[in-house]
């Protein structure tokens, strides 16, 4: 078995964690693969693939070490090559990660097959620019469309299979997968959705309306977004680079043909994360207040 390790070495403890993961995997007889820039940090202890694309295509499993953002950066490539992905959390929340730094002994389950996998739905967002050009991004979490904070509120029209379902003025809108429902969409008032489901969530960001509510669409719907603004609108796919949108550009969002196979070593990662990471955040605040 060959494992490609993809760490975010800017995260606190990630370098130490990566070194431990390399030693554990090699002790289990697993071939460890890295890109040259990362391998040089660890004194060439792993085999090398010349490019990121080559590393993912040649491995059996991708292991990310960092936070949820690290998973998002490699998700579409892992899905493209149909590789399983295991996230190890060195960040603050790590909602999508299956393992914490204190649980690295569970890596032996990769060799015994003692783990579960979940197929996570992804979205394709296509921007048809007014100049005739187009661009498509594939996301695991969400597509965020908002103003660039230099402009006032924007007008958005959302259509599902050509039928208008929402006209609103707001700071922005979010379209998320069930996996992304626990990210920005949740903070904007959207519901939690079990990530093994298939659907498209639509959530507003600070709508200037008393009736705006989150919506859940059938995964086979084709969503179109039309905008009206005096300046540029910013679109970000999975927190990536900002893409500038003008009023004569059109945006289409649909279920992707790609899906990501996520490893859940414990078999209860989603509900465990809700209990220990989301709910406990509020609990800790009250505990701190009580101590004052």
């Amino acid at each position: 078995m060959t494992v490609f390790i993809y760490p975010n070495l800017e995260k606190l403890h990630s370098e130490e964690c990566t070194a431990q993961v390399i030693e554990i995997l090699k002790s289990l007889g697993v071939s460890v693969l890295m890109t040259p820039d990362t391998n040089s940090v660890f004194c060439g202890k792993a085999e090398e693939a010349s490019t990121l694309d080559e590393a993912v295509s040649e491995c059996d499993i991708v292991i990310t070490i960092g936070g949820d953002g690290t998973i998002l950066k490699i998700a579409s490539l892992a899905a493209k090559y149909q590789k399983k992905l295991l996230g190890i959390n060195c960040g603050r929340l790590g909602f999508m990660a299956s393992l914490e730094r204190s649980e690295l002994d569970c890596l032996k389950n990769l060799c015994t097959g003692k783990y579960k996998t979940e197929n996570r739905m992804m979205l394709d967002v296509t921007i048809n620019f007014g100049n005739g050009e187009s661009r498509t991004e594939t996301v695991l979490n969400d597509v965020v469309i908002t103003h660039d904070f230099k402009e006032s509120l924007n007008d958005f029209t959302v259509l599902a299979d050509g039928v208008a379902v929402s006209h609103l003025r707001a700071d922005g809108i979010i379209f998320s997968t069930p996996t992304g429902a626990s990210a920005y969409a949740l903070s904007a008032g959207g519901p939690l959705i079990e990530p093994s489901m298939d659907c498209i969530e639509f959530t507003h960001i600070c709508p200037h309306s008393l009736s705006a509510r989150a919506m859940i669409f059938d995964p086979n719907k084709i969503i179109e977004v039309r905008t009206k603004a005096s300046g540029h609108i910013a679109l970000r796919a999975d927190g990536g680079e900002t893409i500038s949108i003008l009023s004569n550009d059109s945006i289409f969002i649909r279920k992707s043909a790609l899906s990501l196979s996520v490893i859940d070593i414990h078999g209860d990662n989603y509900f465990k994360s809700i209990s220990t990471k989301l709910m406990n955040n509020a609990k800790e605040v009250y505990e701190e207040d009580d101590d004052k």
Side-chain angles (χ1 to χ4, degrees):
M1 181 171 64
T2 300
V3 171
F4 169 51
I5 300 179
Y6 182 72
N8 178 0
L9 297 179
E10 294 181 0
K11 287 285 186 183
L12 186 66
H13 305 301
S14 63
E15 187 171 334
E16 173 191 348
C17 181
T18 302
Q20 290 178 287
V21 171
I22 293 171
E23 294 304 319
I24 291 171
L25 291 177
K26 291 180 74 173
S27 71
L28 293 169
V30 175
S31 296
V32 177
L33 193 61
M34 285 182 164
T35 52
D37 55 337
T38 305
N39 198 26
S40 64
V41 176
F42 299 96
C43 304
K45 291 183 178 180
E47 298 177 29
E48 286 188 0
S50 57
T51 65
L52 191 61
D53 197 282
E54 181 183 321
V56 176
S57 67
E58 291 183 356
C59 74
D60 298 300
I61 293 173
V62 176
I63 291 182
T64 65
I65 300 174
D68 286 348
T70 312
I71 294 175
L72 295 179
K73 287 179 181 177
I74 200 72
S76 60
L77 200 55
K80 173 184 174 182
Y81 289 108
Q82 299 181 330
K83 305 298 182 178
K84 299 174 184 177
L85 185 146
L86 169 67
I88 299 175
N89 181 40
C90 288
R92 295 179 61 185
L93 186 60
F95 197 81
M96 289 187 285
S98 180
L99 285 182
E100 298 296 322
R101 291 187 297 116
S102 59
E103 301 174 314
L104 296 184
D105 59 315
C106 292
L107 288 171
K108 63 180 180 293
N109 292 3
L110 295 179
C111 298
T112 62
K114 191 179 178 182
Y115 60 83
K116 295 182 179 179
T117 59
E118 287 184 348
N119 283 327
R120 300 291 183 90
M121 172 186 162
M122 304 180 79
L123 295 175
D124 287 337
V125 52
T126 300
I127 306 126
N128 294 326
F129 297 100
N131 62 6
E133 296 180 358
S134 66
R135 174 174 177 174
T136 298
E137 299 285 337
T138 301
V139 302
L140 174 63
N141 249 14
D142 52 33
V143 179
V144 178
I145 307 168
T146 184
H147 60 63
D148 59 5
F149 297 101
K150 295 179 182 178
E151 309 294 339
S152 57
L153 294 175
N154 301 310
D155 292 309
F156 297 94
T157 297
V158 176
L159 303 94
D161 287 346
V163 178
V165 296
S166 179
H167 300 282
L168 74 154
R169 177 164 289 188
D171 277 353
I173 53 180
I174 305 167
F175 293 92
S176 73
T177 64
T179 297
S182 58
Y184 195 178
L186 179 67
S187 298
L192 280 171
I193 303 173
E194 192 166 358
S196 57
M197 296 178 63
D198 280 7
C199 64
I200 302 172
E201 180 185 349
F202 165 41
T203 310
H204 317 82
I205 305 171
C206 299
H208 196 72
S209 169
L210 293 176
S211 59
R213 293 290 183 270
M215 298 183 187
I216 306 295
F217 293 111
D218 182 280
N220 297 311
K221 294 290 185 186
I222 297 176
I223 309 299
E224 180 183 358
V225 179
R226 299 173 184 171
T227 65
K228 184 178 180 182
S230 56
H232 288 268
I233 294 171
L235 182 149
R236 297 187 75 191
D238 268 356
E241 66 173 295
T242 298
I243 303 170
S244 291
I245 306 294
L246 295 173
S247 292
N248 62 337
D249 300 332
S250 57
I251 304 163
F252 291 89
I253 297 161
R254 68 195 76 201
K255 179 183 178 181
S256 176
L258 298 178
S259 63
L260 180 66
S261 180
V262 176
I263 293 175
D264 182 358
I265 282 187
H266 299 297
D268 59 354
N269 185 57
Y270 176 70
F271 294 105
K272 178 182 177 183
S273 293
I274 291 174
S275 175
T276 61
K277 296 181 179 180
L278 290 183
M279 294 182 179
N280 281 357
N281 284 343
K283 181 180 178 182
E284 288 169 4
V285 171
Y286 290 122
E287 288 175 346
E288 288 175 2
D289 289 343
D290 291 341
D291 291 337
K292 293 180 180 178

